[in-house]
Amino acid sequence: MKEKLIKKLSEIEGIATKYTDVIKTEAEDRRTECGIVSIEELQSELKKIFEKDRLLNIGIIGKVKAGKSSLLNSVFFEGESVLPKAATPMTASLTILTYGDQFSATVEFYSAKDIEQIRKEHDEYKEELKVIYDQKRQEVEDRAKKKGEKPDMNKAERQAKKEKENSPKLSSFDQYKKMKESGKLMEMISCEKNATRENIIAKNSEALMNELSKYVGSKGELMPFTKSVEIHLPIEDLKDIQVVDTPGINDPVKSREERTIEYLRKCDVVFIVSSAGQFLTSEDTSLMDNLQSKQGVRELYLVASQADNQLYGSEKDEANGDFRTVIQNIRSQLSKHANETLIALKKSNPETSAQFGQLIEDGENRIMITSAMSHALRLRFNDKDHWDEGMKHVWGLLRNNYPDNFDTDIIAKTSLDSLHGIDDVRNKIAFARREKDKIIEKKQTKYLAQQEANIKNFNIELQKSVNDKIRRVDSTDIKKLEDDKKKNEELYARGKEAIDGTFDDCVEELKIALLGTILKNSESLFLGAQDGVSDSEQTITEIRTRKKDGVLPWFARIIGFGGFESYNVDINTIRSGGVKSLLGNLIYELEQNIIKSVSEKIKSWKKEVQKDITHKLREAVKDDSLIDTIRLTTCLRRVFNNIKTQDFSLKSHAFNSNYSGILRGDEAEKFIEDVNAYIIKLRQIYTNQSNNFISELEKTLKREKMSELMFVDLRKQLETLEKDISTKKLTLDRLHKCLNELKNNV
């Protein structure tokens, strides 16, 4: 279809070029109106669709120590330790992995602004912790004094840290502490390096990882300052693939968190990796909140990693030591747990149904059990002399607990294959690739079909224009032309005020209609967002204890036998990640509201303007002989073809909050307060920017008087006609030949 289309476009453009002396203006006008692109642009766009969409984006999310890097090493690198592991939960960098011509990496450091943000939150956390510690210290001292004991200050410190363990500022506290301990803080703030990226080139993957240890290793001197790492490897399996391994914690740096979310929104397939021993905890589901998006469809899969750790103890006993039954039981239990967890989450937070629905409805095919260690054992089964201590330990456990399945090499290999699950992950990626290719094919087919329709329409409209020109040239002589010029000037003199007044009225009507449509649609979007925020809120009840009043309870406390009572406390909670994603979607939908509303309104408005101007012009001049409707329509079409609208973006007004994860109590209340204030502010910003956008559109439309634009074009039409009739016979001959060639090209 592509070659046929290019051939068809080449033929029509060839005809237009061949007869450019007589149809240049007509061809340009019809080309613009029909959306015709050049052959080079057509080929470039097809290539762009393929190259832009061909890249398969794979996202990996999960807590630190969930086995994400080990999983990726097994899937892409035959178990070799190619990808760097997070040094600590608080220093996990954003890692992007893709194909490159050589072994290389680009390391991005925190900017001075990022470091200042981390320092500020470090100081705030330290101050807040001190306030709580002073309270706890006083309580510990009071209790110790009553009991006549020495106060345990360590207990006060532990209680204070426990109370602040969910603080969004904790990660910044730890991050800045490591920066200070590195001895590089002042250097990174003062030197230019903190605002740049550093490129690394190595001979092989091992050398590259050794180099990277300086930036991401647990003892790397620049580890605390590393914001992200982009790794390029000349490995065929990575061609047309980009893997995004996200930080597994509440990100202390908002600029990186925003970029991480943006990467995840572009992912075609996302693997949510969670250790089989602590599968799908609240921290996992909190990380999953970042997957909410209406900007594309993705495949989601749950990966229960490190499954080999679950083969022993009660799991083994319940299956009477049968290896395959144990694996099946683990799979069933994890699937059941995931289903129950996600259904409960969907019930309490309806806004999550869009992204988690497929995991609930198709859980059996979307939950995988993996063991990177078992995969490593299988790959190096015949090279046991080079096994590390960890591999030897796991092999010993497997042989001791399941001798029937690991005594002989053949059976052992089969058993390891049934356990590691890496092929299942690869199959899911292959499925996503096939689906991606189908989408690309559909996009290209749709684009080609649209261009085919455009080219066909171009031919038809060009034939109409040539026919009109033949009739006009054939029916016009010098005397008529001079008469038409006089009529044109008289029309201008008698009708320019009617044209300008009518056009101004039409612009005002467009302005009012656009603003009404945009604000009406946006109101629904804002209300939907507020409902979504409300759905994200939840109230839980906790049981707490307090001192009873009275002498007897006091005495009971003194001797350590009671004196306390239980009571219920309702605590508000909210999933901050889900709300952030919801607000990100709101920004996107508000932008689309402007773009679509303007596009649809202007399309219908142009037709109304043509009709209204023609009608008002007739009323004003009261002489239809002065009006050539064909020329009038032509000039209006040309004027409207030049109307351009400005871009509209709200990205600089995206929601920014230091809170993340599931918030409780005062933090939840403060976050909700911030969100509600943001929505109110965004509503005002959107109203103002919508007004400004429409005002700019109004200025663009009124920049020049419509009557001037129209009559400049009408005069040009008459000048061209004068030139054509000066060589009438030759012009008509070429126009007829052009028309015949266009007809033969249908």
Side-chain angles (χ1 to χ4, degrees):
M1 183 180 181
K2 172 183 167 185
E3 288 71 22
K4 180 183 174 183
L5 193 65
I6 290 174
K7 181 174 180 291
K8 178 68 71 177
L9 180 57
S10 299
E11 289 170 350
I12 297 175
E13 289 290 12
I15 296 169
T17 302
K18 181 178 177 180
Y19 296 99
T20 190
D21 58 315
V22 289
I23 65 163
K24 181 182 177 182
T25 304
E26 288 76 12
E28 288 175 352
D29 290 345
R30 301 302 84 78
R31 192 180 287 118
T32 301
E33 290 169 4
C34 296
I36 297 298
V37 298
S38 68
I39 294 169
E40 292 75 19
E41 287 177 299
L42 177 63
Q43 292 174 319
S44 174
E45 187 62 28
L46 288 169
K47 185 180 179 183
K48 193 188 298 181
I49 290 172
F50 182 82
E51 290 179 348
K52 178 185 175 185
D53 293 341
R54 174 72 185 171
L55 189 69
L56 185 72
N57 292 287
I58 300 172
I60 308 292
I61 67 173
K63 297 175 292 187
V64 170
K65 306 298 183 187
K68 295 183 292 175
S69 297
S70 297
L71 176 69
L72 289 174
N73 285 330
S74 291
V75 171
F76 293 106
F77 312 117
E78 296 300 326
E80 294 290 339
S81 297
V82 172
L83 286 181
K85 297 180 181 179
T88 72
M90 297 301 168
T91 55
S93 63
L94 172 65
T95 304
I96 298 101
L97 173 68
T98 192
Y99 179 83
D101 294 330
Q102 56 187 339
F103 293 95
S104 64
T106 301
V107 179
E108 182 183 4
F109 299 104
Y110 290 121
S111 67
K113 184 179 179 182
D114 290 332
I115 294 174
E116 175 57 24
Q117 179 196 328
I118 294 171
R119 182 204 64 76
K120 183 181 177 183
E121 292 189 3
H122 163 278
D123 293 349
E124 289 174 353
Y125 174 87
K126 189 176 178 180
E127 184 61 33
E128 291 168 5
L129 184 67
K130 183 179 182 303
V131 171
I132 296 174
Y133 171 75
D134 289 344
Q135 293 173 347
K136 299 298 180 185
R137 177 179 55 79
Q138 188 62 51
E139 291 174 6
V140 168
E141 287 177 348
D142 290 345
R143 284 196 295 270
K145 185 177 180 180
K146 288 179 181 178
K147 294 182 179 180
E149 299 173 351
K150 184 180 179 180
D152 182 1
M153 293 297 108
N154 289 331
K155 184 177 181 180
E157 184 178 356
R158 289 194 302 273
Q159 289 177 341
K161 287 182 176 179
K162 177 70 175 174
E163 191 164 319
K164 292 293 292 180
E165 66 181 357
N166 292 319
S167 170
K169 299 172 186 175
L170 175 58
S171 53
S172 292
F173 177 81
D174 285 352
Q175 186 87 15
Y176 195 70
K177 183 180 177 183
K178 287 179 172 59
M179 287 180 175
K180 289 192 292 184
E181 292 171 350
S182 73
K184 294 277 185 179
L185 181 57
M186 294 311 298
E187 178 186 338
M188 293 301 290
I189 291 175
S190 60
C191 76
E192 291 297 319
K193 179 178 282 188
N194 71 74
T196 66
R197 298 184 175 200
E198 192 160 310
N199 296 315
I200 303 167
I201 298 175
K203 293 180 180 179
N204 52 46
S205 62
E206 184 178 355
L208 181 61
M209 291 309 117
N210 287 337
E211 282 288 321
L212 280 175
S213 64
K214 175 183 176 182
Y215 307 93
V216 295
S218 58
K219 296 182 180 178
E221 60 180 7
L222 295 176
M223 175 270 292
F225 304 95
T226 300
K227 186 175 186 176
S228 67
V229 180
E230 190 167 322
I231 301 172
H232 303 269
L233 302 172
I235 295 174
E236 284 298 312
D237 285 349
L238 285 176
K239 277 195 171 178
D240 298 323
I241 282 179
Q242 178 173 271
V243 181
V244 180
D245 186 2
T246 64
I249 44 91
N250 298 337
D251 204 323
V253 178
K254 296 304 121 185
S255 60
R256 184 174 67 178
E257 181 180 57
E258 289 163 7
R259 189 192 304 173
T260 300
I261 292 172
E262 190 58 34
Y263 272 121
L264 284 173
R265 283 177 174 163
K266 294 177 182 176
C267 283
D268 304 289
V269 54
V270 176
F271 293 100
I272 301 145
V273 183
S274 181
S275 170
Q278 290 183 306
F279 188 59
L280 212 57
T281 63
S282 59
E283 187 176 348
D284 290 316
T285 57
S286 179
L287 288 169
M288 289 163 68
D289 284 338
N290 287 332
L291 299 177
Q292 287 193 52
S293 174
K294 295 184 179 179
Q295 301 170 49
V297 179
R298 63 174 60 84
E299 299 292 331
L300 296 183
Y301 297 100
L302 287 171
V303 179
S305 62
Q306 304 164 348
D308 54 283
N309 293 334
Q310 304 305 305
L311 297 172
Y312 316 107
S314 60
E315 300 292 348
K316 178 187 171 186
D317 295 339
E318 289 175 10
N320 296 319
D322 183 78
F323 182 72
R324 295 191 180 281
T325 303
V326 172
I327 294 176
Q328 186 56 48
N329 287 349
I330 292 172
R331 186 185 302 278
S332 298
Q333 290 166 13
L334 293 177
S335 295
K336 182 181 178 183
H337 171 69
N339 192 260
E340 290 174 349
T341 300
L342 294 173
I343 287 176
L345 183 62
K346 180 180 175 181
K347 184 177 180 180
S348 59
N349 302 90
E351 77 283 357
T352 64
S353 60
Q355 78 271 29
F356 299 154
Q358 57 181 280
L359 293 175
I360 296 171
E361 294 162 11
D362 192 26
E364 187 175 335
N365 295 315
R366 294 185 178 274
I367 298 176
M368 294 169 281
I369 293 177
T370 65
S371 167
M373 178 61 78
S374 300
H375 187 244
L377 292 174
R378 178 65 181 88
L379 290 174
R380 295 160 187 73
F381 193 84
N382 297 325
D383 191 22
K384 295 185 178 68
D385 291 341
H386 291 90
W387 282 4
D388 60 30
E389 290 305 313
M391 295 170 74
K392 291 175 183 177
H393 175 69
V394 173
W395 177 248
L397 287 174
L398 290 170
R399 291 198 67 183
N400 291 336
N401 285 273
Y402 300 98
D404 291 345
N405 300 89
F406 293 92
D407 267 355
T408 67
D409 287 357
I410 294 176
I411 297 176
K413 289 177 181 178
T414 303
S415 298
L416 289 171
D417 283 337
S418 67
L419 177 60
H420 67 65
I422 300 303
D423 291 337
D424 198 10
V425 177
R426 287 174 176 161
N427 289 337
K428 302 304 183 189
I429 293 174
F431 171 77
R433 162 57 67 211
R434 291 193 297 273
E435 291 300 302
K436 182 87 169 182
D437 287 345
K438 287 180 185 176
I439 291 171
I440 293 171
E441 187 178 347
K442 283 181 181 178
K443 280 188 178 181
Q444 288 182 321
T445 302
K446 183 179 179 182
Y447 176 75
L448 288 170
Q450 183 60 58
Q451 288 305 312
E452 183 179 35
N454 290 351
I455 292 168
K456 184 178 180 181
N457 193 37
F458 178 42
N459 191 340
I460 293 169
E461 292 300 318
L462 195 51
Q463 286 183 51
K464 289 180 182 177
S465 295
V466 174
N467 258 320
D468 287 342
K469 188 158 190 176
I470 289 172
R471 285 194 295 269
R472 190 169 295 279
V473 172
D474 192 39
S475 63
T476 305
D477 53 27
I478 295 296
K479 185 177 181 305
K480 186 176 186 308
L481 180 65
E482 291 303 322
D483 189 44
D484 285 348
K485 285 183 180 180
K486 290 178 183 177
K487 286 181 178 178
N488 192 52
E489 294 309 314
E490 189 175 347
L491 181 67
Y492 174 63
R494 292 165 61 179
K496 61 181 180 180
E497 291 183 4
I499 291 172
D500 293 332
T502 302
F503 184 72
D504 286 348
D505 290 343
C506 289
V507 171
E508 191 64 30
E509 288 172 7
L510 174 66
K511 181 180 174 182
I512 294 169
L514 266 178
L515 193 58
T517 299
I518 289 168
L519 296 183
K520 180 182 177 183
N521 293 344
S522 68
E523 187 61 26
S524 298
L525 294 174
F526 279 111
L527 289 174
Q530 288 173 323
D531 288 342
V533 172
S534 298
D535 289 340
S536 297
E537 297 178 51
Q538 193 175 4
T539 302
I540 61 173
T541 301
E542 283 189 354
I543 300 175
R544 296 183 180 178
T545 58
R546 61 188 173 196
K547 296 176 183 178
K548 287 184 178 180
D549 295 331
V551 176
L552 289 177
W554 171 81
F555 183 71
R557 288 194 295 274
I558 292 294
I559 62 177
F561 290 98
F564 297 91
E565 63 179 358
S566 298
Y567 67 102
N568 293 336
V569 176
D570 289 336
I571 299 175
N572 286 339
T573 68
I574 192 164
R575 306 182 66 83
S576 64
V579 172
K580 287 180 181 180
S581 292
L582 184 149
L583 295 176
N585 287 334
L586 176 61
I587 290 283
Y588 172 76
E589 290 177 327
L590 288 170
E591 290 175 342
Q592 290 301 303
N593 177 37
I594 287 277
I595 294 167
K596 290 179 180 178
S597 296
V598 170
S599 175
E600 291 170 4
K601 282 287 181 185
I602 285 185
K603 193 173 181 180
S604 58
W605 175 78
K606 288 178 182 178
K607 295 177 182 178
E608 291 299 317
V609 173
Q610 288 187 31
K611 187 174 71 175
D612 288 352
I613 284 181
T614 304
H615 175 68
K616 291 294 182 181
L617 200 54
R618 280 199 171 102
E619 285 185 352
V621 301
K622 296 182 173 59
D623 184 356
D624 283 0
S625 69
L626 297 177
I627 301 173
D628 186 317
T629 54
I630 294 176
R631 284 198 192 112
L632 193 63
T633 301
T634 299
C635 80
L636 283 167
R637 285 165 71 178
R638 285 176 184 166
V639 170
F640 289 145
N641 284 343
N642 292 321
I643 292 176
K644 306 294 180 187
T645 57
Q646 65 184 61
D647 293 332
F648 184 88
S649 175
L650 289 169
K651 289 181 176 58
S652 61
H653 300 290
F655 180 67
N656 186 20
S657 172
N658 293 329
Y659 290 107
S660 52
I662 300 174
L663 306 176
R664 299 158 48 92
D666 292 343
E667 287 185 341
E669 295 290 346
K670 181 63 172 63
F671 179 74
I672 294 168
E673 184 180 314
D674 290 346
V675 169
N676 288 332
Y678 168 77
I679 291 176
I680 291 171
K681 184 179 178 182
L682 182 63
R683 191 193 296 263
Q684 187 59 52
I685 289 170
Y686 189 68
T687 300
N688 291 340
Q689 285 200 195
S690 297
N691 279 314
N692 291 339
F693 180 87
I694 294 169
S695 293
E696 285 301 314
L697 177 60
E698 181 184 17
K699 287 178 186 177
T700 300
L701 293 172
K702 291 183 176 181
R703 188 163 291 137
E704 295 181 65
K705 287 187 176 295
M706 176 55 69
S707 60
E708 293 292 340
L709 293 172
M710 287 175 60
F711 281 94
V712 164
D713 187 85
L714 286 169
R715 289 178 187 122
K716 282 182 180 178
Q717 289 186 51
L718 290 170
E719 287 171 9
T720 302
L721 181 59
E722 185 173 18
K723 177 177 171 291
D724 289 335
I725 65 172
S726 67
T727 54
K728 180 182 279 192
K729 185 177 179 182
L730 177 62
T731 300
L732 288 172
D733 181 59
R734 288 185 61 72
L735 285 171
H736 280 296
K737 286 179 179 179
C738 175
L739 184 61
N740 288 333
E741 289 187 34
L742 287 170
K743 287 179 177 178
N744 292 333
N745 197 265
V746 175

